[in-house]
């Protein structure tokens, strides 16, 4: 009866899990027929890995609650279009340089600190640690903390304490000595796994491969974005990702960045507008929305240069500029 276990699997379409002996002949020789019969009747249908067919497996998927909103966006129009923030999603913001992506990230980071109890991981590759913590304190104090000469370090740390609510909740990546993208990937895995961060912000993915030859940049960004998408699904957190765009409005360096995104929001801002309010207004254009399947204008955000705070403009006072304005 050599190879009996494999024969049973192939002929009957069942996976008979034999634990005590290696095959049916050994069960007979050792007078363990009852154990073999029990294993046979408890066998599951044999399917290649990754194929789902049973009701219990479908029920398990629903019990994971992967489509349940776990947080909201701070801006009502985007919240309405997206139906909220979910774990297991990649949220991509794209724009030309100088549009104000980091400040929008900061507003979202602060909002999640205030409205959830989740741990948060932050990687701002173009911003030093002092500027980051000043920005966070500024949201709590409603002022541009990095500009205010009257704010003391004690006032800033008190603002930080109020913003994060508890120690070891906010994890900021401040090590920039390595140019190896795998070092960032390892840090994100550590934040999501060991630090239990459920929301992680990466600003920005293009910075990870800056200075590399064009073809190497594309391969590197393909690799990084694919790894990030797999990590988000495996560890079940939400990744907020920023990417610059090229002159055609596509994600710079790799088209795969936008392909792995569940939500893709393009940021549009007319930096040359004569009206100062319009010049400091960023318009959101939802280009991809897997969960809610709704695309189009996602609201407008005004950046107050005196307080460095971002707030939503009422729809009646803001109109979406032509995309060409950003690409000229």
């Amino acid at each position: 009866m050599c190879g009996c276990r494999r024969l049973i699997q192939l002929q009957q379409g069942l996976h008979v899990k034999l634990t005590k002996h290696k095959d049916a002949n050994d069960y007979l020789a050792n007078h363990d027929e009852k154990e073999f019969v029990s294993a046979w009747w408890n066998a599951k249908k044999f399917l290649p890995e990754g194929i789902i067919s049973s009701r219990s497996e479908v029920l398990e998927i629903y019990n994971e609650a992967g489509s349940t909103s776990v947080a909201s966006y701070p801006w009502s129009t985007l919240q309405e279009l997206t139906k909220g923030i979910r774990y297991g999603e990649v949220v991509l913001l794209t724009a030309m340089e100088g549009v104000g992506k980091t400040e929008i990230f900061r507003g979202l980071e602060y909002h999640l600190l205030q409205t959830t109890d989740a741990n948060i991981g932050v990687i701002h590759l173009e911003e030093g640690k002092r500027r980051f913590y000043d920005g966070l304190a500024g949201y709590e104090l409603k002022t541009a903390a990095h500009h205010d000469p009257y704010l003391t370090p004690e006032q800033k740390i008190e603002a930080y304490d109020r913003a994060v609510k508890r120690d070891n909740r906010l994890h900021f990546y401040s090590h920039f000595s390595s140019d190896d993208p795998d070092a960032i990937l390892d840090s994100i895995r550590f934040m999501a796994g060991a630090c239990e961060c459920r929301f992680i912000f990466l600003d920005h993915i293009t910075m990870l491969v800056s200075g590399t030859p064009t073809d190497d940049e594309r391969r590197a960004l393909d690799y990084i974005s694919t790894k990030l998408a797999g990590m988000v699904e495996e560890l079940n957190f939400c990744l907020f990702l920023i990417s610059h765009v090229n002159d055609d409005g596509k994600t710079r360096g790799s088209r795969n960045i936008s392909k792995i995104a569940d939500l893709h929001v393009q940021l549009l801002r007319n930096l040359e507008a004569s009206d100062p309010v319009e010049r400091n207004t960023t318009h959101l254009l939802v280009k991809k929305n897997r969960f809610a399947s709704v695309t189009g204008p996602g609201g407008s955000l005004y950046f107050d240069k005196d307080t460095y705070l971002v707030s939503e403009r009422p729809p009646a006072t803001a109109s979406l500029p032509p995309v060409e304005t950003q690409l000229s």
Side-chain angles (χ1 to χ4, degrees):
M1 296 186 66
C2 180
C4 179
R5 179 171 57 182
R6 182 62 177 163
L7 183 62
I8 291 172
Q9 291 176 5
L10 295 177
Q11 287 185 340
Q12 303 297 328
L14 296 175
H15 181 195
V16 181
K17 189 175 182 180
L18 303 182
T19 57
K20 193 171 184 179
H21 305 294
K22 68 178 181 179
D23 57 32
N25 188 52
D26 286 342
Y27 278 84
L28 291 172
N30 288 278
H31 306 289
D32 288 326
E33 297 93 338
K34 289 184 178 179
E35 285 86 346
F36 178 79
V37 171
S38 177
W40 172 270
W41 287 112
N42 285 288
K44 294 183 178 181
K45 184 177 180 181
F46 177 75
L47 291 171
E49 185 178 356
I51 295 180
I52 298 170
S53 65
S54 70
R55 182 182 183 277
S56 61
E57 291 172 314
V58 176
L59 180 60
E60 185 178 338
I61 291 172
Y62 278 116
N63 287 337
E64 291 173 356
S67 61
T68 302
S69 172
V70 295
S72 66
Y73 286 96
W75 311 298
S76 60
T77 305
L78 188 62
Q79 169 66 18
E80 183 179 352
L81 262 62
T82 61
K83 310 305 179 187
I85 300 169
R86 287 156 290 277
Y87 296 142
E89 288 188 341
V90 177
V91 177
L92 173 66
L93 302 185
T94 60
M96 301 291 285
E97 295 181 23
V99 169
K101 300 179 292 295
T102 302
E103 295 303 330
I104 290 175
F105 248 23
R106 200 185 320 282
L108 184 51
E109 291 159 1
Y110 179 76
H111 172 77
L112 291 174
L113 285 170
Q114 301 309 297
T115 58
T116 77
D117 189 49
N119 289 357
I120 295 176
V122 175
I123 302 175
H124 287 191
L125 295 178
E126 290 186 316
E127 183 174 66
K129 52 190 175 183
R130 179 63 178 267
R131 177 66 186 90
F132 169 76
Y133 288 109
D134 274 348
L136 181 62
Y139 259 89
E140 184 65 27
L141 297 168
K142 304 297 184 285
T143 185
H146 65 300
H147 281 178
D148 194 330
Y150 300 105
L151 283 178
T152 65
E154 290 75 17
Q155 289 174 310
K156 291 182 180 181
I157 193 64
E158 288 173 2
Y160 166 82
D161 289 339
R162 292 196 300 271
V164 300
K165 302 183 185 301
R166 57 179 170 82
D167 203 11
N168 294 314
R169 182 187 179 195
L170 179 63
H171 302 265
F172 179 72
Y173 179 90
S174 62
H175 182 65
F176 301 107
S177 61
S178 174
D179 58 358
D180 181 7
D182 282 316
I184 301 291
L185 292 174
D186 289 343
S187 296
I188 293 175
R189 177 173 288 277
F190 180 80
M191 285 179 171
C195 302
E196 299 183 330
C197 294
R198 308 308 305 274
F199 305 105
I200 297 180
F201 293 79
L202 175 56
D203 177 15
H204 54 87
I205 189 173
T206 321
M207 186 74 173
L208 297 180
V209 295
S210 60
T212 60
T214 303
D215 196 45
D216 290 343
E217 179 184 67
R218 180 190 59 78
R219 286 198 294 265
L221 286 172
D222 284 351
Y223 167 78
I224 294 168
S225 54
T226 299
K227 285 288 186 180
L228 286 173
M231 201 183 304
V232 165
E233 182 176 357
E234 173 193 351
L235 300 176
N236 196 35
F237 64 97
C238 182
L239 175 67
F240 296 91
L241 183 63
I242 283 177
S243 173
H244 285 158
V245 294
N246 57 26
D247 291 341
D248 296 321
K250 308 298 183 183
T251 48
R252 184 181 298 176
S254 169
R255 294 288 301 278
N256 194 57
I257 299 171
S258 58
K259 289 179 181 178
I260 62 116
D262 296 280
L263 176 68
H264 177 188
V265 181
Q266 186 172 2
L267 309 180
L268 306 171
R269 179 179 167 197
N270 186 356
L271 301 175
E272 300 178 355
S274 57
D275 179 5
V277 173
E278 183 59 31
R279 192 165 58 247
N280 287 289
T281 296
T282 299
H283 303 276
L284 310 184
L285 178 62
V286 177
K287 302 189 69 174
K288 182 180 182 181
N289 188 358
R290 280 180 178 163
F291 180 79
S293 301
V294 180
T295 57
S300 299
L301 309 179
Y302 176 69
F303 172 69
D304 187 326
K305 61 183 180 61
D306 295 321
T307 63
Y308 271 66
L309 303 182
V310 172
S311 59
E312 186 168 24
R313 286 180 62 186
T317 66
S319 59
L320 189 68
V323 175
E324 297 79 35
T325 302
Q326 302 295 311
L327 306 179
S328 58

